[in-house]
Amino acid sequence: LMNQRYGLDSPAAKKILKDSWKQEYDRVFGQAKFDALIHFEGYNRFWAGVFTSVNDGRKTSIYMHNSMKEEYQLKFPYLKAMFGYGAQANKYISVSKSTMQHNQSNLAQPFNIPLEKFDYTDNLQQPEQTRILAAEPLLPEDEQYFQGTGKVFITIGRLSMEKDHAKLINSFAQIAADYPDSRLLIVGDGALRHALSQQIAELKLENQVHLLG
């Protein structure tokens, strides 16, 4: 049922599942001791199940990197199971206060997650380190993208639906038609890499749009 409906109704079935995750925790970590368990990736059911299976005082946190209601409804129905594990975790951590408030209002009541379990920690920003890195010379393999007189556009972000790289590529195609020496560099990877590669090929932009990973 967890793989079909991403949830269990019976308390007995839930206990069996949690005991199974506890066995898996012992298999993976053995006798290792941790004060806290942080599921930073936030989308993997396996680690959510393993981490929330322990009830011995260790603090368990699961990160929420986005507005998870939309992620659940539009892309990842299995997140329903993640929300169930979140109810067992000590904290559900969003990456900003506004994101936390959004997740709190959308998820607390439908998935029985206590309000006090929602918290946030802002994404780390390092502007000075960014300036230092920006001053470093280009790697030889990257110099090819900056040769010529055309403008170079750069975007950084995972290749997922909410980033909407498809719209960006379509927009760039209009620029490329007038300025054939321009380039678009897309830094990041994700589930939509193949679809975006096909889109680039269909628009005949292979020499101008580069998925750099």
Side-chain angles (χ1 to χ4, degrees):
L1 288 176
M2 282 297 290
N3 289 328
Q4 293 176 341
R5 297 193 285 113
Y6 309 114
L8 299 172
D9 298 324
S10 164
K14 291 179 180 179
K15 184 180 185 306
I16 291 172
L17 178 63
K18 189 167 186 175
D19 289 344
S20 298
W21 283 126
K22 180 59 171 64
Q23 292 179 15
E24 188 66 12
Y25 179 96
D26 293 338
R27 185 190 72 81
V28 174
F29 296 114
Q31 300 302 310
K33 301 297 182 183
F34 305 102
D35 294 324
L37 300 167
I38 302 173
H39 186 358
F40 184 74
E41 188 258 5
Y43 286 83
N44 188 296
R45 283 183 291 167
F46 175 83
W47 291 114
V50 169
F51 282 12
T52 58
S53 69
V54 293
N55 295 312
D56 57 359
R58 279 172 271 198
K59 302 296 184 183
T60 305
S61 301
I62 299 177
Y63 262 74
M64 308 176 86
H65 292 275
N66 211 329
S67 173
M68 301 307 287
K69 178 183 178 182
E70 288 77 4
E71 294 277 88
Y72 162 60
Q73 291 179 331
L74 299 176
K75 294 191 298 181
F76 305 123
Y78 75 84
L79 287 176
K80 178 181 178 181
M82 289 291 295
F83 303 148
Y85 294 129
Q88 302 174 54
N90 296 104
K91 289 291 183 180
Y92 237 151
I93 309 287
S94 295
V95 293
S96 71
K97 184 176 181 179
S98 60
T99 304
M100 179 202 73
Q101 293 169 337
H102 195 69
N103 286 322
Q104 195 176 48
S105 63
N106 286 326
L107 302 178
Q109 184 174 358
F111 297 99
N112 297 313
I113 305 174
L115 292 175
E116 62 271 15
K117 289 193 175 186
F118 290 88
D119 210 334
Y120 74 96
T121 175
D122 288 321
N123 274 334
L124 181 64
Q125 306 293 329
Q126 296 179 297
E128 293 303 324
Q129 180 67 10
T130 300
R131 293 187 182 96
I132 292 172
L133 294 173
E136 293 186 358
L138 283 172
L139 295 174
E141 58 266 30
D142 293 332
E143 292 180 356
Q144 58 177 311
Y145 301 118
F146 298 91
Q147 295 174 352
T149 59
K151 297 291 185 182
V152 179
F153 301 88
I154 303 175
T155 183
I156 302 174
R158 66 184 181 275
L159 307 184
S160 57
M161 184 174 65
E162 67 274 6
K163 302 300 183 183
D164 207 358
H165 288 91
K167 183 186 293 180
L168 173 64
I169 293 169
N170 284 333
S171 298
F172 177 78
Q174 300 177 45
I175 295 175
D178 295 327
Y179 302 96
D181 198 27
S182 60
R183 294 182 181 88
L184 172 61
L185 308 182
I186 300 176
V187 182
D189 213 335
L192 296 184
R193 184 182 183 93
H194 178 67
L196 294 174
S197 296
Q198 286 187 314
Q199 180 185 1
I200 292 167
E202 291 170 359
L203 293 171
K204 296 181 171 52
L205 293 174
E206 294 99 325
N207 294 326
Q208 291 166 276
V209 180
H210 303 277
L211 302 177
L212 301 184

